[in-house]
């Protein structure tokens, strides 16, 4: 009966501590003074520590009561610390990690108590960090559960959000053994967990905003597979990389109102690495006969990040926080990736295929009409939709015998464009001597920064011909369903009320390329809508582009097998210049 009465009284105290008024009453009565003695870990080993269900319930009750009392504010928290509570809790945490049978039951209230202490007092936060990072945190990460992943992530967020030194440590190789289990748990957890939302905040406000994305990705690569420097620079994605980029994309797509303006002030190094990452994934996929899922997921998530970064809210009068040079680099990259794709194939739901056996060339859509400007004759080298762009891309492909691609006149040949991985390997080998002179992690990040800056400096073009040259490094088939749609949506966001970007699109012949996306595509159901949105954004406030589009005229038609089967064809009206359907032989 005594034990039952004690447990009942404990439950009443715990219930009282859940309200602000109740917490203050308990603190005034001196309940806090007895907590250290209740939570004092045993000194005789694990057998005494786990002896009996009553002992464990008492410990859990004491932790929950202390957790609630620490929520009363900094004054209450510091009064508890003065009783020796923090020292006792850290000792109990160490003892719980040594015990094998009941430590999982204790770690949840232990971590919740540490979170409340850290949130209430910066002094407590620093002491917890000094005592627990990285060893105790890593030990906790090895036995994650639904109840511990969230509090542990919250504790890391509190520690690193407003402290650049702690944020750098969190992204260092010494913390990779801590981040990797958290990211893996988030990816493999069968149900959505609170840890995923908190990790998203860590990735956004700590890793992204403090320009630590490159450092975190490098540390995780080294930890996950014990790779060498050159393997790190070759961008071999792992599960942790995919989770980081996916969580970052989710966070950037829906920022809270209070942090929206902060999200727009994009950190330069993080943005550069994101562009570099998308470029590297896309180049790697172009050489894979069967796209590897990890590369595909990394590319898709990376494009989602770039889409979210370039989006602007029409209702908000916030100055664009993206540097113009990076916008132009990103625009050129997106146009080149789009220009590399095969033309959109016409829908064939009710028509028989008339393609010759063994032929792999996509037939142009019945709606694809070659456009040319009224004042000028068609330019054979211009980047336009339909067979012209298709022919240029075919001419740039390597021969079946493995020879080098034939280059169009006036294009500048750069080895970086043909094989980015070779550039990465060469630059890595050039810095081997520096790795012996400084720490390994710093050497990796310094070399990778040089690779990022050098490669991005090569992703520029001044003419449609040079854009076609850049497109040779990217895949011609969509790596995933919706790839074309993501590219067109990214271009639409880039063109929204950015005059310099609009003019660059026109300079590179991208206007015709974007117009050619405004048609149905079974593999990209929304590409027509995003194409129309991109045309709208491209023309807004730009009279030159509006006049350029209005001057385009159809100068030929494309045969449509479906119409041929019913004895019809499309031809241009000699008077109006508009397409019309007539009977064959008419």
């Amino acid at each position: 009966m005594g034990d039952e009465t004690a447990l009942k009284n404990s439950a009443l105290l715990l219930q009282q501590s859940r309200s602000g008024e109740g917490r203050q009453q308990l603190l005034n009565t001196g309940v806090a003074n007895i907590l250290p003695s209740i939570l004092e870990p045993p000194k005789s080993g694990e057998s005494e520590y786990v002896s009996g269900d009553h002992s464990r319930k008492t410990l859990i009750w004491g932790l929950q009561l202390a957790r609630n009392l620490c929520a009363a504010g900094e004054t209450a928290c510091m009064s508890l610390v003065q009783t020796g509570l923090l020292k006792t809790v850290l000792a109990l945490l160490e003892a719980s990690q040594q015990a094998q049978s009941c430590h999982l039951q204790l770690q949840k209230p232990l971590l919740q108590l540490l979170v409340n202490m850290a949130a209430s007092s910066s002094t407590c936060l620093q002491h917890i960090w000094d005592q627990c990072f990285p060893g105790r945190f890593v030990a906790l990460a090895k036995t994650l559960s639904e109840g511990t992943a969230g509090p542990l992530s919250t504790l890391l967020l509190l520690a690193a959000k407003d402290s650049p030194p702690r944020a750098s440590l969190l992204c260092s190789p010494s913390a990779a053994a801590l981040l990797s289990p958290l990211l893996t748990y988030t990816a493999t957890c069968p149900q959505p967990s609170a840890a995923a939302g908190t990790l998203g905040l860590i990735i956004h406000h700590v890793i992204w905003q403090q320009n630590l994305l490159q450092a975190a990705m490098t540390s995780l690569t080294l930890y996950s597979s014990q790779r060498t420097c050159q393997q790190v620079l070759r961008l071999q994605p792992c599960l942790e990389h995919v989770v980081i980029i996916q969580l970052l994309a989710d966070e950037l797509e829906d920022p809270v109102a209070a942090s929206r303006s902060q999200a727009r002030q994009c950190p330069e190094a993080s943005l550069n690495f994101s562009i570099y990452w998308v470029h590297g994934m896309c180049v790697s996929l172009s050489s894979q006969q069967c796209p590897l899922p990890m590369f595909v997921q990394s590319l898709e998530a990376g494009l989602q990040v770039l889409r979210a970064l370039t989006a602007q809210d029409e209702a908000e009068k916030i100055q664009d926080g993206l540097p113009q040079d990076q916008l132009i680099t990103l625009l050129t990259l997106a146009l080149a990736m789009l220009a590399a794709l095969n033309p959109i194939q016409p829908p064939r739901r009710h028509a028989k295929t008339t393609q010759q056996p063994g032929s792999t060339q996509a037939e142009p859509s019945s709606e694809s009409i070659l456009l040319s400007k009224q004042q000028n004759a068609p330019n054979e080298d211009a980047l336009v939709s339909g067979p012209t762009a298709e022919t240029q891309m075919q001419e740039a492909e390597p021969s079946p015998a493995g020879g080098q691609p034939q280059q169009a006149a006036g294009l500048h040949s750069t080895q970086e464009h043909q094989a980015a991985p070779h550039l990465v390997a060469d630059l890595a080998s050039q810095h081997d001597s520096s790795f012996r002179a400084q720490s390994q992690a710093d050497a990796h990040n310094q070399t990778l920064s040089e690779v990022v800056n050098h490669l991005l400096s090569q992703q520029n073009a001044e003419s449609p011909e040079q854009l076609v040259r850049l497109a040779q490094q990217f895949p011609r088939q969509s790596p995933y369903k919706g790839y074309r749609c993501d590219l067109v949506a990214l271009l639409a966001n880039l063109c929204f009320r950015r005059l310099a970007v609009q003019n660059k699109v026109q300079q590179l012949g991208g206007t015709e390329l974007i117009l050619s996306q405004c048609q149905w595509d079974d593999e990209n159901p929304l590409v027509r809508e995003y194409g129309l949105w991109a045309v709208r954004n491209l023309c807004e406030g730009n009279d030159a582009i509006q006049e350029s589009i209005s001057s385009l005229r159809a100068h030929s038609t494309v045969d449509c097998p479906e119409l041929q089967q019913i004895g019809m064809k499309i031809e241009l009206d000699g008077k109006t210049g508009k397409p019309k359907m007539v009977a064959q032989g008419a």
Side-chain angles (χ1 to χ4, degrees), residues 26-39 65 69 79-85:
L26 291 174
L27 289 170
N28 293 336
T29 57
V31 172
N33 296 328
I34 66 173
L35 284 176
S37 61
I38 295 176
L39 302 177
L65 180 60
L69 293 178
S79 66
L80 290 169
V81 171
Q82 291 175 0
T83 66
L85 179 63

Side-chain angles (χ1 to χ4, degrees), residues 22 187 232 314 532 562:
V232 172
E314 185 175 6
L532 294 173
E562 289 84 352

Side-chain angles (χ1 to χ4, degrees), residues 531-547:
L532 294 173
W533 177 246
V535 173
R536 181 265 181 201
N537 293 344
L538 188 63
C539 294
E540 184 182 20
N542 197 313
D543 295 337
I545 293 181
Q546 294 177 26
E547 294 176 1

Side-chain angles (χ1 to χ4, degrees), residues 268-577:
E268 183 175 353
S270 292
L271 177 58
N272 280 341
F273 186 81
S274 299
I275 299 174
Y276 170 74
W277 181 267
V278 168
H279 174 274
M281 294 300 103
C282 200
V283 170
S284 298
L285 285 168
S286 67
S287 62
Q288 297 175 7
Q289 294 183 352
C290 181
L292 299 177
M294 204 68 71
F295 285 83
V296 173
Q297 294 173 16
S298 296
L299 174 61
E300 184 174 6
L303 286 175
Q304 293 298 321
V305 168
L306 296 178
R307 283 181 57 180
L309 286 173
T310 54
Q312 297 188 88
D313 194 338
E314 185 175 6
E316 293 185 354
K317 305 301 182 182
I318 298 177
Q319 186 177 3
D320 191 359
L322 298 176
Q324 183 170 310
D325 291 344
Q326 291 171 307
L327 285 172
I328 297 301
T329 298
L330 181 55
L331 168 72
T332 307
L333 179 65
L335 283 175
M337 293 165 66
L338 184 61
L341 291 174
N342 289 324
I344 296 177
Q345 297 185 19
R348 298 178 180 235
R349 297 182 179 86
H350 306 291
K352 296 182 179 180
T353 302
T354 59
Q355 190 172 341
Q356 295 297 327
S359 174
T360 59
Q361 183 175 358
E363 296 183 6
S365 168
S366 59
E367 298 177 357
S368 298
I369 299 176
L370 300 182
L371 301 176
S372 64
K373 294 188 177 181
Q374 184 178 21
Q375 294 87 352
N376 302 324
N379 184 355
E380 297 299 331
D381 292 331
L383 183 63
V384 297
S385 61
T388 303
E390 175 75 6
T391 304
Q392 290 179 345
M393 295 307 300
Q394 288 177 348
E395 292 175 353
E397 286 186 352
S399 65
Q404 295 295 324
Q406 298 294 325
Q407 300 177 18
L411 298 184
H412 301 286
S413 175
T414 58
Q415 294 298 326
E416 293 86 344
H417 294 162
Q418 292 181 350
H422 294 294
L423 163 70
V424 170
D426 293 341
L427 288 178
S429 62
Q430 293 173 11
H431 290 79
D432 283 342
S433 59
S434 66
F435 297 151
R436 296 187 292 269
Q438 50 187 315
S439 68
Q440 186 181 28
D442 291 342
H444 291 333
N445 289 321
Q446 179 181 358
T447 304
L448 186 53
S449 297
E450 295 175 3
V451 171
V452 170
N453 295 331
H454 181 76
L455 189 59
L456 292 184
S457 67
Q458 304 298 320
Q459 306 303 311
N460 51 45
E462 301 297 333
S463 66
E465 294 82 7
Q466 293 182 14
L467 184 68
V468 172
R469 178 69 182 90
L470 283 178
Q472 296 172 21
Q473 59 190 318
F474 301 123
R476 301 193 62 192
Q477 300 292 337
S478 295
Y480 61 88
K481 190 171 183 177
Y483 171 71
R484 184 191 297 270
C485 190
D486 283 341
L487 292 177
V488 177
L490 174 58
L491 289 169
N493 288 351
L494 284 167
C495 292
F496 184 72
R497 295 184 178 176
R498 295 183 175 107
L499 184 61
V501 173
Q502 296 170 356
N503 293 335
K504 188 68 175 182
V505 171
Q506 180 73 356
Q507 177 186 348
L508 297 179
T511 303
E512 293 83 358
L513 179 62
I514 292 176
L515 287 171
S516 68
Q517 311 304 312
C518 300
Q519 53 183 311
W520 299 108
D521 183 11
D522 291 337
E523 293 298 317
N524 299 270
L526 294 177
V527 71
R528 178 178 177 272
E529 284 68 28
Y530 276 115
L532 294 173
W533 177 246
V535 173
R536 181 265 181 201
N537 293 344
L538 188 63
C539 294
E540 184 182 20
N542 197 313
D543 295 337
I545 293 181
Q546 294 177 26
E547 294 176 1
S548 174
I549 293 178
S550 64
S551 67
L552 294 174
R553 295 291 182 269
H555 65 84
S556 66
T557 61
V558 178
D559 293 332
C560 177
E562 289 84 352
L563 292 179
Q564 291 177 354
Q565 292 176 2
I566 61 175
M568 304 296 290
K569 67 177 182 178
I570 294 178
E571 67 178 24
L572 296 178
D573 189 294
K575 296 181 179 179
T576 64

